[in-house]
Amino acid sequence: MKRIVTLMAVFLVLPLKAQAQGTLTLEETVERGLRIDNIIKTEAARAGGARAGLEQAKMSRFGALKLKGMYTDGNDPVYAFATAMKQGTFSMGSLTTINDPAPARNFSAGIEAGIPLFTGFAVSNAVKMGNLGVEAAQNGYERARAGITFRLTYQWLTVLLRSKLAQLAAESVKAAETELKTAQMLKEKGMVLGSDYYGAEAILSTLKGYEINWNKALQLDTEKLGLAAGLPGGVQPVGELNAPLYAEKPAGALAEASGNRRDVKALEKLAEIAGTAQAMQANSVLPVVEAFGSWETNSKSLSDFRSNRLLGLRFSMPIGDPAYYARKDAAGAEAAMARSRLDEARLQVTIEVAEAMNNYGAARESLPVAKETLEKARQSLELFRPLYRQGRQSVLEVLRAQAAVLQAEAAYYETIYKTHLYHAQTLLATETLDAGAVKEMSAALGGK
C-alpha cells in the first residue's frame, strides 16, 4: 500500500516540476513574457483610461439630465410664503399670517436638464485633447512592448551565454586536472619541477574560480529569466550562440525607421495636448451659452402635487478675472516645456540609433578577430601538449595555454552574444523590434 502511495506521489510531483521549469526558444520566451509583464498591463490600462476620457469629452456635448428631490419644514416667512404659492395653497388669508406663519412642510421632486450651445470651444478642445491622449497612450503601450521585448531578448541571450561559458569552464577544468594528474606522477619521479607544478595548480585554481563564478551567474540569470517568462523554476534557452547572418539595412532605412519611434510620437501628441490646453486658457474669457429646462412638483403631503416648469437660455461671461493672465502664462510654460521635451527626445533618438549601429558594427568587425584568436590559442595548446609529454615543455606552459584557450573562447562567444544583442538594440532604437524580428532572431539562434 505504501508503495502505491509513493508511486502516486511521484506521478503527481513530476508534472509540477515540469511546469516549474521550461526550455523555450527566444520567440516563445518573448511571447510568454509579453503576456504577463506588469509594465505592459499598466500601459494597456492607461490606454483604456485615455479612451474612456475621450468618450467622456464627447458625451459632454449632450449636457446633463438629473433628478432632484427634497423635503423641507420651516416657518421662515419668505420660505412659507413661497412654499404656499408653489403648492397652490396661497389665499388672501395667508396674508394675515405672513409675518408669523405656521410651519410649512413641502415635498418637492423634479427633473432638470442643460445642454451647452457654446462653451468657448472648451468641449471641442476637450475632444481634441481626448483624441490626442488616446494616440499618446497607444504609442506608449507599443513602445513599452518593444522595450520589454528587448529586455526579454537580453535576458534570454545572457542565459545562453552563461550556459556556454559555464560549459567551457567545466571542460577546461577537466582537461587541466587530467594534465596535473600526469604531472603529479612525473613530479614524484623527479621529472617535473615543484615550482612548475605548484604554478600549474594555481592556474587550475583560477580556472575553477571561473567555473564557480560563471555557474553562479548562470543560476541567477536563469532564475531572472524564469520570473520574466512566468516560470519561477527557471528557463533553459533552446538555441546556440551562432555567428549572426542578419541582412544589413541601409543607413537611410534606419534613419526613416527611427523617425517612427513610438515614444517620440507619444511626446508629439503630448505637446499638442499642451498647446490645446494653452488655447483653452486663452479662450476662457469667451462667453458660455447653455439651454436649460426644469420641471418641478411641490406638495405639503405625498399627494396633490402641483407642477411647474422653467425653460430658458443661460449666458455667462467673465469680465474680471485677475488670475486669467497667470493661468494663460502657466499654460504657455507647460506648452514650451512639452516642445522642449519633444526636441530633446528627437535628439536622444538620433544618438541612440548612432550608438546602436556603432556597437553592432564594432561587434561584427570584431568577430573574425576573436575567431582567429581562438584558433591560434587552440593551435598553441595542441602544440604544447605533445612537447610536454616528450619532456620538452613544462606543465606550467600547458596550463597557461589551457587558460589562454578558455579566455579566447569566452571572448569569442561574448562577441557573438554582443552581435546578437546589439542587433536587437538597433531594432529597438529604430522601432522595428516586432514579432517578425524576434522570429528571425530566434531562427538565427537555432530556435524551432
Side-chain angles (χ1 to χ4, degrees), residues 170-239:
E171 292 172 354
S172 293
V173 168
K174 184 177 179 180
E177 287 176 338
T178 301
E179 297 296 346
L180 273 176
K181 285 180 181 178
T182 304
Q184 174 66 28
M185 292 186 292
L186 295 175
K187 175 175 171 291
E188 292 173 352
K189 295 178 181 179
M191 299 176 64
V192 174
L193 294 175
S195 59
D196 287 356
Y197 179 79
Y198 292 123
E201 277 196 327
I203 294 175
L204 174 60
S205 296
T206 301
L207 297 179
K208 288 180 178 179
Y210 286 143
E211 183 181 20
I212 291 171
N213 290 332
W214 288 344
N215 273 306
K216 284 294 183 183
L218 171 61
Q219 180 182 355
L220 176 59
D221 283 314
T222 299
E223 292 175 0
K224 289 166 64 176
L225 180 60
L227 291 172
L231 293 169
V235 169
Q236 296 298 326
V238 177

Side-chain angles (χ1 to χ4, degrees), residues 71 83 87 89 104-107 298-304:
Y71 167 76
T83 298
Q87 294 174 350
T89 59
R105 177 183 301 153
N106 186 57
F107 294 91
N298 293 274
S299 175
K300 63 181 179 180
S301 63
L302 293 175
S303 61
D304 301 326

Side-chain angles (χ1 to χ4, degrees), residues 33-325:
L34 290 176
R35 285 199 300 268
I36 66 172
D37 187 80
N38 290 316
I39 294 177
I40 293 178
K41 291 178 181 178
T42 300
E43 293 300 323
R46 192 191 308 277
R51 287 190 291 271
L54 172 59
E55 190 63 22
Q56 178 184 354
K58 289 179 177 179
M59 297 306 293
S60 67
R61 292 169 170 164
F62 302 103
L65 176 67
K66 60 182 179 181
L67 296 174
K68 59 181 183 177
M70 183 169 55
Y71 167 76
T72 54
D73 189 335
N75 61 357
D76 178 79
V78 176
Y79 162 75
F81 185 83
T83 298
M85 295 186 70
K86 287 181 178 180
Q87 294 174 350
T89 59
F90 184 81
S91 65
M92 293 302 293
S94 303
L95 294 174
T96 60
T97 60
I98 190 171
N99 291 322
D100 187 21
R105 177 183 301 153
N106 186 57
F107 294 91
S108 68
I111 299 174
E112 185 175 317
I115 299 176
L117 300 180
F118 180 72
T119 61
F121 308 108
V123 172
S124 59
N125 280 329
V127 172
K128 179 181 178 181
M129 292 170 70
N131 279 309
L132 292 170
V134 169
E135 293 181 40
Q138 186 61 34
N139 282 317
Y141 169 76
E142 295 295 340
R143 185 59 185 170
R145 283 183 62 89
I148 299 305
T149 297
F150 176 76
R151 189 176 74 181
L152 290 163
T153 301
Y154 161 74
Q155 195 63 47
W156 189 91
L157 284 170
T158 300
V159 175
L160 195 62
L161 174 65
R162 300 291 191 203
S163 299
K164 189 64 178 179
L165 293 180
Q167 174 196 337
L168 294 172
E171 292 172 354
S172 293
V173 168
K174 184 177 179 180
E177 287 176 338
T178 301
E179 297 296 346
L180 273 176
K181 285 180 181 178
T182 304
Q184 174 66 28
M185 292 186 292
L186 295 175
K187 175 175 171 291
E188 292 173 352
K189 295 178 181 179
M191 299 176 64
V192 174
L193 294 175
S195 59
D196 287 356
Y197 179 79
Y198 292 123
E201 277 196 327
I203 294 175
L204 174 60
S205 296
T206 301
L207 297 179
K208 288 180 178 179
Y210 286 143
E211 183 181 20
I212 291 171
N213 290 332
W214 288 344
N215 273 306
K216 284 294 183 183
L218 171 61
Q219 180 182 355
L220 176 59
D221 283 314
T222 299
E223 292 175 0
K224 289 166 64 176
L225 180 60
L227 291 172
L231 293 169
V235 169
Q236 296 298 326
V238 177
E240 292 287 340
L241 279 174
N242 300 317
L245 298 172
Y246 303 120
E248 287 294 315
K249 294 182 180 180
L254 292 173
E256 182 181 353
S258 66
N260 295 321
R261 278 277 291 262
R262 296 283 188 171
D263 50 348
V264 173
K265 287 184 176 296
L267 287 174
E268 288 175 352
K269 303 307 175 185
L270 292 177
E272 291 185 51
I273 289 174
T276 305
Q278 182 182 13
M280 289 179 72
Q281 290 299 331
N283 292 336
S284 63
V285 295
L286 296 176
V288 174
V289 181
E290 179 188 27
F292 70 91
S294 65
W295 176 81
E296 185 180 90
T297 63
N298 293 274
S299 175
K300 63 181 179 180
S301 63
L302 293 175
S303 61
D304 301 326
F305 280 96
R306 177 171 175 156
S307 65
N308 61 76
R309 65 173 178 82
L310 181 66
L311 302 173
L313 294 175
R314 192 157 36 220
F315 171 90
S316 65
M317 179 177 178
I319 58 173
D321 184 358
Y324 168 73
Y325 289 103

